[in-house]
Amino acid sequence: YVCMINIAYYISKNIITLNGSHIELIKYKFMKEYYDFYNYKIKTIDFNYDTNQYLKEIYYDKDINENNILELTPEKLKKLKYENKWKLLEYLDIDKNLINVDSAFVMNMGVFHEYKRQILSALGIALLYYRLKKNPNLSIAERTYFFGGKSYPNYYFTKENIKFINALANQINNDLFIKDKIKIVFIENYNLTKSSVVIPAADIYQSLELLSMQLKDVFIFKSLSTGAAFLTCRSNYQNICIDENQISKYMFGDNYETVLTKNNYNLFEFLNQNKEIEDMFNFYRYLPKETFPYDINKIYNSIYYFNDENHIFKDLFEYVSVIEKSIDDYTNTYQWYQTRVNDCKNTIKIDDKSFLKKYNEILEN
């Protein structure tokens, strides 16, 4: 068989790693017997990482540093979080009367890709809005969803995903019927500069990859160190590091062993047993184009014809339940910020070498 990573090593002029941990991963896992052959191409970039400066930047507070973050209190973290929310709205030039900073800021950021499952978050919003329209007395806490990222020019599904999110935003943001219970903000041209303002404002940061082989998502740990809750799938490899450091999280879906070895999921049977999904899509099919300018069949067909290979429909109901649980917890202000303070303190103790060791153990199995 053809191993694409070997082809990449062969045709690349240089193989750039960011630290010694990456060298170990390449040497003992991805290259193994080929390491000596490709060794001359490998170059390492070492960053002079100033933790204190980083903490000052993400908290926008000159008094925060690695030493006194251990003395951070729920009251101070809440104050910092609200300051960061106001800074975000100002940075995005959003009318502060349109977004309630008391609402939970739910973030889904990064490059748009099928495996990142931004569509799961979008359909979760769509399902909640559908339920609100069916039952006006449904009680939910206010929330504001933020999406940001880019798509490859020829990537059909992700471009349709972005169009769907913006159409959904147009429908929901202008619906006075739901009384600002849900708001959606799409951040255009999202990049690292914008992320430095966006991430510190997050109350809930989502990482919805079904199976992510990414060694360590720095944005997850930036969000945790700035007081956000983490919502993810049970199959996400980032949980290795999260669990070891006793950081709280909200989870849904199958674990990675089940996803890899016991995937007997049949979409046709699932849809027959869960009619609400079809009812929801019918609701959006008949919305006026003036308020919902999108053909939702494009999303439905892209999932249906590939037997929901990324478990979008399969995980939808549990995802919605978990996001509701996290936002309900957010309304319990003191307990919420007490938990976030504990997570902040545990996040800055993360040991990359220990994480790498456990990550390698999973890959070996």
Side-chain angles (χ1 to χ4, degrees), residues 17 41 45 75 78 91 141-142 150 193 200 216 221 225 259 268 277 317 343 349:
T17 65
K41 294 185 177 185
I45 300 175
E75 292 77 12
K78 180 181 178 181
Y91 180 78
E142 290 188 20
K150 298 178 182 179
T193 301
K216 185 178 176 183
F221 297 97
S225 63
V259 173
F268 183 75
I277 291 179
F317 294 121
D343 289 344
K349 300 176 185 177

Side-chain angles (χ1 to χ4, degrees), residues 18-63:
L18 299 182
N19 54 47
S21 297
H22 290 164
I23 287 283
E24 292 182 39
L25 192 64
I26 289 174
K27 184 174 182 179
Y28 296 111
K29 182 60 192 176
F30 294 122
M31 281 193 179
K32 290 186 177 178
E33 63 268 25
Y34 302 109
Y35 179 77
D36 291 336
F37 181 76
Y38 292 118
N39 186 32
Y40 74 96
K41 294 185 177 185
I42 299 175
K43 295 178 174 58
T44 301
I45 300 175
D46 289 320
F47 289 101
N48 294 320
Y49 189 75
D50 186 341
T51 305
N52 288 341
Q53 180 61 32
Y54 167 68
L55 291 171
K56 290 175 187 176
E57 290 173 357
I58 60 178
Y59 278 104
Y60 298 99
D61 189 329
K62 63 182 179 181
D63 296 326

Side-chain angles (χ1 to χ4, degrees), residues 209-213 233-241 243 249 251-263 311 315 358-365:
E209 296 96 330
L210 187 63
L211 278 174
S212 174
M213 295 300 292
C233 315
R234 292 186 179 90
S235 58
N236 193 330
Y237 287 101
Q238 306 293 334
N239 294 335
I240 305 166
C241 191
D243 291 339
K249 59 186 179 298
M251 294 194 300
F252 67 95
D254 296 326
N255 59 32
Y256 58 84
E257 292 97 340
T258 303
V259 173
L260 287 172
T261 62
K262 300 178 181 178
N263 187 10
H311 292 193
D315 287 345
K358 289 184 177 294
Y359 181 84
N360 276 327
E361 288 174 358
I362 286 182
L363 292 181
E364 290 293 342
N365 296 326

Side-chain angles (χ1 to χ4, degrees), residues 308-325:
D308 193 14
E309 61 182 353
N310 288 303
H311 292 193
I312 305 301
F313 290 159
K314 182 181 182 183
D315 287 345
L316 181 59
F317 294 121
E318 188 178 1
Y319 165 73
V320 170
S321 296
V322 170
I323 195 75
E324 288 306 306
K325 172 67 167 62

